[in-house]
Amino acid sequence: MKITLKDGSVKEFKEGMSVYEIAKELSEGLARAAVGAKVDGKVVETRYIVDNDCKLEILTFADDEGKLIY
C-alpha cells in the first residue's frame, strides 16, 4: 500500500499497519508524540489499521485535532 504523507512524500508498506506502527516506522519520536491521525481527512486514533492507499497525517497534541483526540 502507498501512504502519502502531509509533506507530499509517499511511503510504501507491504501490509496493513496501525497508525502507531506507521508513525514508529517514520520516527520513534513521532510515534511517542502521536495521539491520532487523519486518514483521507477522517480523524482516527493511533490503533486504527490502515490497509489501503491513502493520505495520512499523524496528529500530535500540538495540532488542533490532536488536542480534541487527547
Side-chain angles (χ1 to χ4, degrees):
M1 70 183 162
K2 293 181 181 182
I3 306 295
T4 304
L5 302 174
K6 183 179 178 179
D7 66 1
S9 63
V10 177
K11 301 289 183 184
E12 289 193 43
F13 299 95
K14 292 184 181 184
E15 58 188 37
M17 300 172 73
S18 71
V19 167
Y20 174 79
E21 292 169 325
I22 293 170
K24 192 171 180 181
E25 287 284 323
L26 299 173
S27 161
E28 287 283 337
L30 179 60
R32 284 192 298 272
V35 295
K38 284 177 31 178
V39 178
D40 288 333
K42 177 184 173 187
V43 177
V44 298
E45 60 183 28
T46 56
R47 294 180 295 182
Y48 180 85
I49 301 297
V50 178
D51 58 2
N52 54 11
D53 295 354
C54 66
K55 292 182 181 178
L56 177 71
E57 180 181 348
I58 306 293
L59 300 172
T60 66
F61 192 74
D63 301 299
D64 289 339
E65 292 98 340
K67 288 179 179 72
L68 292 174
I69 292 170
Y70 183 77

